[in-house]
């Protein structure tokens, strides 16, 4: 046991003496967390109040009639959209060009006969150009749909009044229809902002919006922590190759040290570094990015420990199998990046096809990320993530057995 | 000895190294394939399965579930009890559930205030967001029908006063009429997206990964300058009549040839394996590839010239490549980033290289369409090359 601890301690001291190691263990993951956090947040990555956000909508109003002005007034009244008006006969074409070339996110074109057709009861379509690369047009379109729905209801006031009146008392006079229409429109105006049904969202877990200001980091922090524990862990396989290359392993075996002790020490120091790295990244995530890691420190430790054990086993296996440092480096990169992509560390597995989700669970990353979702997002505890922890430990056992069999000193 | 001997020897060594080939070709192709598996093909996002619960009779809940699912195969709404729905969402078995209020039909007809609750699994933000959107659309339709029919009812009641029989007759008629009338509204919004071919994620990421891994390969190539010194082969070479400029020129030539081969092979492989069309102008594709190769090899050489050991080149270079790839959009779609981020990206080599290839793939741009990218990349290459050559020759 003493020799195991001595070799472990020695390897960790060697690693600590290398200043660049800290950059790779901590600096790069923090930079990645920051960038991916912004990417997932869809905004600045910080405390965003959706009610405060206003989007710009480019408008080409080709209609000389009064109803287009009314439509634009309704849009402005929402206080959600800033209108950027285009003038001139080519405004419609200009709106299309601005969106196509990515200068504007979305544009609304009101056709020239808008008022005339609506007044005569004909159907008419507004043209909404959207840039598929931007997310803003979704919100703009939602607001526009709301206004259009209300205009449609108001437009049916006269027809509804006529149909209902005829049903009960025979055909109404034009004066009656006008009077009734005004009444219905008045009712619609008064009731529209206080509709009978509303939608509310109840999140079942810890991630209530008020608790978690930075939703982007809530995903990127655990995912990047797992990815770098994996990437750095596998890169440590190079050290084993170098130990063989410089014959330090051979020299070690001339001392009264058992093979089992050397192998165990190689697992142990990798595992300790993985746990150290994960702990610091969790603390940085909480303090710098405001990540809520859930209410189960025990669960978090268990998941990182099981994952770290699996990575350590794979690292020793890779170091034992690889013939050169370059081979170990290439294999580590291939394994770490493809496992990260497959296991849902780069994008949520929920948006991928079923076959991809299955493939994501052939590798340890898929299970580790599932456990992170359960702990961090749903607020589950250790009992709920035990299936994932056991699966990760099974991976660790399989890798470790294979690594022990493949371990060689020259 | 001429520079091309050194360049040719370097190229042969690199091409015989299987690990270099893994980094050069296998990794970018594998990652592109994985992304294609995740987001490409016909299968797309997996079905959005959710539950619908309420106190109405079962057939009404089923109708509401069908209404919420909009008849699309992409959505699968199943009736459930509220407790079962809560349990399933809390356990992460379903991304969301919609809880309808008591007496939904009466509520809508009479215009009573009530709430439709969407239970969401916070670990499944995208799918639960889709269910919320469905619920909002469903509720908006019900609200519009409710407001219109009640508006007509109240106005007529005020106009003439309604007997109980008239109230019943009108009530039965109005809600159905309003629902039918709103099915085909007079005013609609027709959406048109920018005219471009459907985005193939593999076509988007193949050039991204090609540029990123080109930089990685160039780093391993550039660091041989230090490795030659560390292994003593440089000193031996200097005993021969070789000028330092010849040595540096040879190193750059070897790197450039390797970079050109790598990027052209990646273009070819992605066409053969993934069917990516790189536009109709082979000259533009070759020009863009050769310019990118020049940029990557010069930048890698500059990093080698600024560092003192092969290990330093590895560390500083890898950090440099990763940061540029992150900022420049080689790892994620930069178009979705906030404005400030997109502006910062324009200072990176990756941004311009990716932008040029994107123009070729998505807009079928010829040489004229990528001149700006070519000028920027060649400008970066020239500056990096002059600096690197000066520093290396002086050292």
């Amino acid at each position: 046991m003493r020799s195991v601890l001595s070799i472990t301690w020695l390897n960790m001291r060697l690693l600590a003496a290398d200043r660049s190691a800290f950059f790779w263990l901590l600096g790069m993951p923090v930079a990645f967390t920051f960038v991916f956090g912004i990417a997932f947040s869809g905004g600045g990555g910080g405390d965003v109040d959706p009610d405060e956000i206003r989007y710009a909508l480019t408008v080409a109003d080709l209609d000389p009639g009064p109803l287009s002005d009314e439509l634009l007034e309704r849009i402005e009244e929402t206080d959600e959209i800033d209108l950027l008006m285009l003038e001139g006969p080519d405004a419609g074409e200009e709106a299309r060009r601005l969106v196509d070339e990515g200068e504007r996110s979305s544009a609304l074109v009101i056709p020239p006969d808008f008022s005339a057709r609506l007044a005569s009861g004909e159907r008419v379509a507004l043209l909404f150009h959207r840039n598929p690369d931007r997310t803003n047009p979704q919100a703009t379109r939602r607001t526009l749909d709301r206004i259009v729905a209300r205009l449609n209801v108001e437009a049916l006031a006269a027809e509804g009044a006529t149909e209902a009146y005829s049903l009960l008392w025979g055909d109404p006079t034009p004066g009656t229809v006008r009077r009734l229409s005004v009444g219905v429109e008045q009712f619609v105006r008064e009731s529209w902002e206080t509709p009978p049904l509303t939608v509310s969202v109840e999140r079942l877990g810890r991630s209530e919006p008020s608790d978690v200001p930075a939703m982007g980091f809530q995903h990127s922090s655990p995912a990047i922590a797992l990815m770098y524990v994996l990437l750095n862990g596998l890169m440590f396989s190079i050290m084993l190759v170098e130990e063989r290359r410089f014959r330090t392993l051979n020299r070690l075996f001339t001392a009264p040290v058992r093979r089992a002790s050397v192998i165990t020490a190689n697992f142990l120091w990798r595992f300790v570094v993985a746990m150290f790295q994960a702990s610091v990244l969790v603390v940085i995530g909480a303090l710098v990015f405001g990540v809520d890691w859930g209410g189960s420190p025990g669960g978090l430790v268990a998941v990182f420990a099981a994952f770290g054990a699996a990575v350590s086993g794979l690292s020793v296996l890779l170091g034992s199998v690889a013939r050169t440092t370059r081979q170990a480096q290439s294999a580590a990169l291939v394994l770490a990046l493809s496992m990260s992509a497959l296991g849902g560390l780069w994008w949520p597995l929920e948006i991928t096809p079923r076959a991809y989700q299955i493939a994501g669970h052939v590798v340890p990353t898929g299970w580790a990320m599932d456990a992170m979702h359960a702990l961090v997002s749903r607020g589950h505890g250790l009992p709920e993530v035990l299936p994932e922890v056991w699966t990760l430990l099974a991976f660790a056992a399989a890798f470790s057995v294979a690594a022990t069999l493949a371990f060689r000193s020259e | 000895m001429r520079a091309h001997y050194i360049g040719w020897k370097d190229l042969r060594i690199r091409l015989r190294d299987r690990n270099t080939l893994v980094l050069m070709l296998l990794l970018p192709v594998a990652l592109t394939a994985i992304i294609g598996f995740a987001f490409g093909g016909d299968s797309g996002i997996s079905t959005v399965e959710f539950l619908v619960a309420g106190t109405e009779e079962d057939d009404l809940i089923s109708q509401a579930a069908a209404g919420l699912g909009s008849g699309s195969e992409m959505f699968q709404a199943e009736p459930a009890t509220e407790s079962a729905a809560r349990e399933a969402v809390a356990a992460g078995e379903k991304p969301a559930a919609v809880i309808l209020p008591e007496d939904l039909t009466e509520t809508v007809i009479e215009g009573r205030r009530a709430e439709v609750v969407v239970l969401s699994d916070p670990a499944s933000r995208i799918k639960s967001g889709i269910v919320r959107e469905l619920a909002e659309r469903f509720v908006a339709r019900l609200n519009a029908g409710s407001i219109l029919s009640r508006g007509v009812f109240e106005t007529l009641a005020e106009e003439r006063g309604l007997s109980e029989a008239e109230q019943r007759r009108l009530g039965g008629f109005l809600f159905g009429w309003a629902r039918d009338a709103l099915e085909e509204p007079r005013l609609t919004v027709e959406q048109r997206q920018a005219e471009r071919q459907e985005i193939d994620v593999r076509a988007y990421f193949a050039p991204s990964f090609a540029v990123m891994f080109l930089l990685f390969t160039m780093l391993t190539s550039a660091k041989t300058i230090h490795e030659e010194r560390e292994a003593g082969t440089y000193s031996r070479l200097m005993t021969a009549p070789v000028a330092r400029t010849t040595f540096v020129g040879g190193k750059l030539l070897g790197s450039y040839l390797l970079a050109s081969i790598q990027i052209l092979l990646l273009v070819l492989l992605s066409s053969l394996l993934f069917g990516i069309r790189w536009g109709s102008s082979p000259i533009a594709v070759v020009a863009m590839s050769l310019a990118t190769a020049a940029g990557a090899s010069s930048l890698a050489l500059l990093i080698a010239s600024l560092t003192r050991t092969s290990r330093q080149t590895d560390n500083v270079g890898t950090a440099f490549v990763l940061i540029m790839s992150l900022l420049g959009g080689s790892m994620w779609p930069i178009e979705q980033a906030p404005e400030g981020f997109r502006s910062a990206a324009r200072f990176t080599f990756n941004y311009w290289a990716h932008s040029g290839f994107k123009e070729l793939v998505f807009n079928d741009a010829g040489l004229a369409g990528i001149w700006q990218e070519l000028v920027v990349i060649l400008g970066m290459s020239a500056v990096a090359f002059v600096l690197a050559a000066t520093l290396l020759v002086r050292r």
Side-chain angles (χ1 to χ4, degrees):
Chain A
M1 189 62 196
R2 221 175 124 186
S3 55
V4 171
L5 293 176
S6 299
I7 299 169
T8 303
W9 180 240
L10 175 73
N11 274 301
M12 289 178 58
R13 276 179 56 200
L14 284 172
L15 192 69
D18 181 2
R19 274 176 301 172
S20 67
F22 288 95
F23 174 74
W24 290 109
L25 287 171
L26 306 173
M28 284 308 283
V30 169
F32 267 66
T33 303
F34 177 69
V35 174
F36 279 106
I38 288 175
F40 281 119
S41 72
D47 194 350
V48 177
D49 180 356
D51 293 336
E52 294 295 317
I53 297 174
R54 288 170 66 91
Y55 295 110
L57 175 66
T58 300
V59 177
D61 181 7
L62 309 176
D63 176 42
L67 294 181
S68 61
D69 294 339
E70 194 185 327
L71 171 70
L72 295 177
E73 270 171 33
R74 297 270 181 106
I75 295 176
E76 279 184 321
E77 277 168 16
T78 61
D79 216 24
E80 293 167 18
I81 293 175
D82 288 324
L83 299 178
L84 305 173
M85 300 300 295
L86 295 176
E87 305 292 341
D90 298 327
E93 186 50 32
E94 177 67 0
R96 186 193 64 78
R97 189 191 65 76
L98 286 170
V99 175
D100 280 6
E101 293 180 4
E103 290 180 41
R104 302 275 167 87
S105 297
S106 59
L108 178 71
V109 179
I110 305 174
D113 50 358
F114 179 76
S115 293
R117 293 182 69 175
L118 267 191
S120 62
E122 284 180 63
R123 297 185 68 189
V124 60
L126 296 161
L127 192 56
F128 183 74
H129 295 281
R130 72 159 289 185
N131 184 329
D133 296 332
R134 310 277 168 80
T135 50
N136 302 0
Q138 282 172 12
T140 316
R141 175 71 202 263
R142 255 200 304 273
T143 306
L144 199 59
D145 281 344
R146 225 172 49 231
I147 292 162
V148 165
R150 180 172 163 181
L151 286 171
N152 276 321
V153 168
E154 286 176 13
L156 284 166
E159 190 184 324
T162 309
E163 293 274 346
Y165 194 96
S166 307
L167 180 79
L168 299 178
W169 307 303
D171 289 344
T173 62
T176 308
V177 172
R178 262 198 307 279
R179 204 171 50 250
L180 291 174
S181 300
V182 171
V184 177
E185 281 170 18
Q186 172 77 14
F187 183 90
V188 171
R189 256 195 305 280
E190 286 166 5
S191 313
W192 196 261
E193 295 308 326
T194 51
L197 290 176
T198 49
V199 177
S200 69
V201 177
E202 187 184 331
R203 286 185 177 80
L204 299 184
R206 289 176 59 85
S207 298
E208 290 298 331
S210 55
D211 293 339
V212 185
M215 287 305 288
F217 298 126
Q218 199 67 12
H219 178 90
S220 73
S221 230
I224 299 296
L226 289 173
M227 179 176 138
Y228 268 88
V229 166
L230 175 67
L231 181 63
N232 293 134
L234 295 189
M235 282 294 182
F236 290 148
S237 61
I238 295 170
M239 292 172 75
L240 197 53
V241 179
E242 282 185 342
E243 280 191 86
R244 276 203 310 274
R245 189 174 142 214
F246 296 122
R247 305 205 169 266
T248 42
L249 265 182
N250 259 344
R251 267 180 274 168
L252 191 62
F253 281 121
T254 60
V257 180
R258 286 186 304 161
R259 186 172 180 270
S261 302
V262 176
I263 298 174
T264 310
N266 266 289
F267 287 127
L268 189 60
W269 77 258
R270 283 171 171 81
F271 176 76
V272 173
V273 172
M275 290 307 284
F276 163 76
Q277 183 184 18
S279 315
V280 177
L281 290 177
V282 166
V283 172
I284 291 176
L287 298 180
V288 179
F289 301 119
V291 175
D292 177 352
W293 290 91
S296 171
L300 211 55
V301 169
V303 172
F304 272 120
F307 184 68
V311 170
S312 304
L314 188 57
S315 173
V316 178
L317 174 62
L318 192 58
S320 304
V321 174
R323 289 168 190 275
T324 62
T325 51
R326 279 205 176 142
Q327 207 175 59
Q329 191 179 18
S330 300
L333 264 179
V334 171
L335 284 172
L337 297 184
S338 52
M339 278 185 180
S340 300
L342 274 176
L345 306 189
W346 288 1
W347 46 75
L349 281 184
E350 62 159 331
I351 60 170
T352 61
R354 184 74 71 198
Y356 190 95
Q357 293 176 12
I358 293 168
H361 288 88
V362 173
V363 290
T365 41
W367 296 93
M369 200 58 211
D370 278 356
M372 282 296 167
H373 279 313
L375 294 171
V376 176
S377 303
R378 299 191 188 107
H380 287 176
L382 180 59
E384 286 92 343
V385 294
L386 275 179
E388 283 84 2
V389 170
W390 284 120
T391 310
L392 287 170
L393 288 175
F395 274 112
F399 291 144
S400 303
V401 169
T404 307
L405 294 174
F407 193 86
R408 57 205 166 91
S409 56
E410 34 184 313
Chain B
M1 188 184 273
R2 301 229 179 110
H4 70 265
Y5 287 121
I6 299 174
W8 181 243
K9 181 215 68 173
D10 261 19
L11 181 65
R12 282 178 55 201
I13 292 173
R14 306 296 296 155
L15 287 178
R16 274 196 297 226
D17 181 4
R18 272 180 300 177
N19 305 307
T20 303
L21 294 178
V22 167
L23 201 61
M24 270 176 70
L25 304 174
L26 179 68
L27 204 44
V29 168
L31 286 177
T32 306
I34 289 174
I35 285 208
F37 182 23
F39 302 113
D42 300 326
S43 44
I45 185 172
S46 53
T47 313
V48 181
E49 294 172 12
F50 61 100
L51 300 172
V52 180
T55 55
E56 296 271 0
E57 289 166 21
D58 285 350
D59 61 329
L60 273 172
I61 298 292
S62 298
Q63 276 177 32
L68 276 158
S70 315
S72 165
E73 282 180 12
M74 195 188 153
F75 309 116
Q76 213 172 78
E78 284 172 33
T81 61
E82 184 174 340
S83 59
R86 275 185 183 278
E87 222 168 88
V89 177
E93 289 161 12
K94 299 281 178 193
V98 179
I99 310 296
L100 301 172
E102 275 183 37
D103 306 324
L104 175 69
T105 317
E106 301 291 310
T107 303
V108 172
I109 289 175
E110 292 171 16
R112 294 200 303 257
R113 305 291 300 277
E115 209 167 52
V116 170
V117 181
V118 176
L119 303 177
S120 94
D121 173 11
S124 179
R125 287 199 292 138
I126 294 164
K127 283 190 175 173
S128 62
I130 292 173
V131 174
R132 180 189 177 170
E133 192 98 347
L134 289 175
E136 276 174 352
R137 270 191 236 161
F138 176 70
V139 161
R141 280 204 303 273
L142 292 178
N143 279 336
S146 168
I147 291 173
L148 178 60
S149 53
R150 283 187 301 115
V152 174
F153 187 95
E154 296 289 335
T155 309
L156 257 68
E158 221 169 84
E159 171 81 8
R160 298 266 303 250
L162 295 171
S163 66
E164 266 189 37
E166 285 172 332
Q167 281 183 22
R168 270 198 304 279
R169 198 167 168 209
L170 196 57
F173 162 78
L174 269 176
F175 195 70
W177 169 83
R179 192 188 54 211
D180 294 345
L182 287 167
E183 279 290 301
E184 287 198 355
R186 279 189 206 159
L187 184 57
T188 52
V189 181
E190 194 178 288
Q191 185 161 299
R192 190 192 145 281
Q193 296 209 346
E195 277 171 16
R196 60 184 63 166
Q197 68 188 84
E198 200 174 309
I199 298 280
D200 176 351
V201 286
R202 289 177 304 195
Y204 184 93
F205 279 101
S208 307
F209 291 143
V211 173
M212 184 165 86
F213 285 97
L214 180 66
L215 284 165
F216 277 128
T217 317
M218 286 304 95
L219 271 183
T220 61
S221 184
K223 78 174 179 184
T224 58
I225 288 181
H226 296 302
E227 284 174 345
E228 297 241 27
R229 214 182 44 239
E230 287 156 11
T233 47
Y234 175 74
S235 307
R236 265 183 273 170
L237 192 66
M238 285 299 122
T239 59
V242 179
R244 269 190 287 189
T245 45
T246 310
F247 175 74
V248 172
K251 283 287 170 192
L252 183 72
L253 185 65
S255 287
Y256 179 66
L257 287 174
L258 183 68
S260 305
I261 290 170
Q262 178 179 0
I263 194 87
L264 288 169
L265 272 178
L266 283 173
V267 167
L268 187 70
L269 276 176
S270 58
S271 298
L272 294 175
L273 296 174
F274 308 126
I276 295 168
R277 288 196 66 249
W278 292 81
S280 55
S281 167
I283 296 175
V285 177
V286 171
M288 191 63 216
S289 303
L290 296 183
T292 306
S297 49
S298 306
L299 284 171
L301 208 65
L302 178 62
I303 291 167
S305 71
L306 291 168
T307 48
R308 298 195 166 273
T309 62
S310 58
R311 196 179 160 84
Q312 259 185 19
T313 308
D314 239 350
N315 281 331
V316 175
T318 308
F320 175 76
V321 173
L322 285 175
I323 288 168
M324 275 221 301
S325 301
L326 259 182
L327 284 177
S330 289
M331 291 173 151
W332 58 296
I334 192 81
E335 292 81 3
Q336 293 173 6
E339 182 57 42
F341 206 98
R342 290 203 300 274
S343 305
R346 297 170 80 87
F347 290 98
T348 66
F349 166 75
N350 297 53
Y351 171 85
W352 290 100
H354 189 210
S355 165
F357 282 116
K358 252 190 343 187
E359 284 297 316
L360 296 177
V361 174
F362 294 112
N363 296 333
D364 196 11
L367 263 183
I370 55 166
W371 71 268
Q372 204 182 347
E373 283 82 0
L374 287 176
V375 168
V376 175
I377 291 171
L378 289 174
M380 283 182 180
S381 309
V383 172
F385 172 69
V386 170
L387 279 173
T390 312
L391 287 169
L392 286 169
V393 170
R394 271 192 195 168
R395 191 178 284 174

